[in-house]
Amino acid sequence: MLSVTNLQVFYGTIQALHGISFEVREGEIVTLIGANGAGKSTTLRTISGLIRPKEGKIEFNGQDITRMPAHKIVQMGIAHVPEGRKIFPNLTVRENLLMGAYTRADKAEIAASLENVFARFPRLKEREKQVAGTLSGGEQQMLAMGRGLMCKPKLLILDEPSMGLSPILVEEIFNIIREINRGGTTVLLVEQNAFMALQIASRAYVLETGRIMISGPAYELQADPQVRSAYLGSI
Ligand code: ATP
């Protein structure tokens, strides 16, 4: 579904990605894990068209999207839920969700998507008219994910959904990711919480300073001594 080949990205003269290649197949949850500054967010932002790579190719369902504008990439079926959620704090929950459907015109379909999101996140339904800035961290994460789902994506890209959440909420968010995936949406997940990410992913890639160092089925990485000592906090 998504194929990334030899991605090289620079910020000014500093090279952030040194030739990243990976793929996401339809129906999978794939995770990119790695320490702070490894290049995970940069990879996601490049896929979504927010950063232009110097070299490399990104294909989505066989189409080259490397230099497509970001809104076209959304229309192709890729939704990006950014790190830090980036909700609109002064808008209501409902208004935030409708912003996620900005590329769509059919009112009946938008209403149906809204109902789907409310069915998936009953807590958002309860707070439909609440101003988003007053939501708890977990609710804001649900809102950001709900907004991503409003464009009916084929591929949902999630950047650090567990950031700043309590362990119980992390569990809840990961369960929701699993459900979204079971509902037919392919997921590309970036996480610092490697333990949780490897539990729900089918495959994983480990990034270090802009390079993929290890890759494989998630259960294999969970057992890999190098991954365990560097990312899972055990020897
Ligand atoms: P984190 O989990 O901390 O967000 P990350 O793995 O997502 O880490 P990136 O944010 O992609 O890492 O950063 C990769 C590298 O690029 C880092 O060295 C970072 O300092 C640098 N970088 C990121 N954004 C910019 C920017 N806008 N300008 C200059 N350098 C940047």
Side-chain angles (χ1 to χ4, degrees):
M1 175 178 252
L2 180 78
S3 159
V4 173
T5 314
N6 186 32
L7 213 54
Q8 300 196 28
V9 172
F10 287 74
Y11 292 111
T13 55
I14 298 178
Q15 188 161 6
L17 301 185
H18 296 261
I20 298 262
S21 300
F22 68 94
E23 59 167 354
V24 181
R25 300 173 201 136
E26 190 160 2
E28 283 189 312
I29 299 179
V30 168
T31 185
L32 308 180
I33 57 176
N36 269 324
K40 306 182 297 296
S41 298
T42 301
T43 304
L44 299 189
R45 292 170 60 78
T46 311
I47 294 168
S48 314
L50 302 171
I51 301 175
R52 294 278 163 239
K54 182 147 193 220
E55 292 282 338
K57 192 170 185 186
I58 304 164
E59 282 176 295
F60 184 61
N61 287 332
Q63 212 170 325
D64 188 344
I65 61 164
T66 319
R67 297 190 190 277
M68 239 182 222
H71 71 274
K72 282 263 164 57
I73 294 176
V74 176
Q75 280 172 349
M76 299 271 304
I78 299 182
H80 184 165
V81 181
E83 188 176 4
R85 290 134 208 178
K86 305 277 174 0
I87 53 152
F88 302 101
N90 300 320
L91 300 185
T92 64
V93 165
R94 184 190 175 85
E95 287 163 347
N96 265 278
L97 290 173
L98 291 174
M99 293 294 251
Y102 77 100
T103 56
R104 300 170 68 188
D106 188 317
K107 286 210 172 118
E109 275 190 25
I110 293 172
S113 290
L114 196 59
E115 284 318 306
N116 278 337
V117 169
F118 283 146
R120 172 93 54 212
F121 301 98
R123 264 200 263 177
L124 295 183
K125 172 78 184 161
E126 288 162 21
R127 292 163 175 77
E128 191 177 343
K129 297 192 177 70
Q130 189 172 327
V131 168
T134 61
L135 296 174
S136 73
E139 290 160 0
Q140 290 191 12
Q141 183 58 48
M142 290 178 197
L143 179 56
M145 286 164 62
R147 185 181 55 190
L149 290 174
M150 284 298 291
C151 67
K152 255 190 154 181
K154 298 184 185 87
L155 174 67
L156 183 65
I157 293 183
L158 300 171
D159 196 349
E160 302 265 6
S162 79
M163 195 171 62
L165 302 184
S166 68
I168 289 178
L169 271 174
V170 171
E171 193 94 30
E172 192 176 339
I173 292 291
F174 274 80
N175 281 336
I176 293 170
I177 297 170
R178 218 191 300 240
E179 281 169 23
I180 290 170
N181 176 250
R182 285 196 187 127
T185 309
T186 306
V187 175
L188 175 59
L189 169 69
V190 151
E191 259 303 334
Q192 277 197 47
N193 188 336
F195 180 79
M196 290 298 290
L198 290 175
Q199 288 204 335
I200 66 164
S202 39
R203 292 184 308 107
Y205 295 85
V206 179
L207 261 80
E208 272 174 38
T209 54
R211 295 179 177 84
I212 288 169
M213 303 306 277
I214 309 170
S215 64
Y219 68 86
E220 270 183 34
L221 267 68
Q222 274 176 314
D224 183 307
Q226 224 180 318
V227 174
R228 291 179 72 86
S229 71
Y231 301 101
L232 299 177
S234 54
I235 309 156

